[in-house]
Amino acid sequence: GQKSRKPVAIEGAPPNLAKPIKGCRFAERCPVARLDCPETQQVLRVVAGREVRCKYAESTPETLGNMGAGAES
C-alpha cells in the first residue's frame, strides 16, 4: 500500500479558478517549470511509482526527491 505523508507547501498563490487553465496548474509556482508548461495540458502517468502530470518529472532529480516513492500534483 501507499504510505501517507504530509503535503509539501508550494510558494506563491494558487491559480485563479475563475479563469480557464490551459496548461499545468502549477506552472507559475513550480521551480522547474519550462516555457511550454503554462500552455500544455499534462497527461496523467506513473513516474517512480507515483501518478504525476509533469512531463519533466523523470528528468528532474529535485522533483523526484520531493515526491518520494508511492504517493501522488
Side-chain angles (χ1 to χ4, degrees):
Q2 292 183 347
K3 292 182 181 179
S4 60
R5 63 184 184 90
K6 264 186 156 174
V8 177
I10 299 173
E11 295 289 324
N16 179 354
L17 297 178
K19 251 174 62 175
I21 299 169
K22 187 173 183 180
C24 177
R25 296 167 191 250
F26 296 98
E28 290 183 26
R29 303 183 290 156
C30 178
V32 296
R34 304 219 169 83
L35 292 176
D36 63 324
C37 294
E39 300 298 319
T40 307
Q41 184 68 28
Q42 304 298 319
V43 177
L44 185 64
R45 60 199 184 90
V46 177
V47 174
R50 298 188 46 154
E51 291 181 333
V52 299
R53 289 191 188 270
C54 176
K55 70 181 184 178
Y56 300 110
E58 59 235 322
S59 65
T60 313
E62 56 270 282
T63 302
L64 290 174
N66 288 336
M67 283 190 213
E72 183 182 356
S73 125

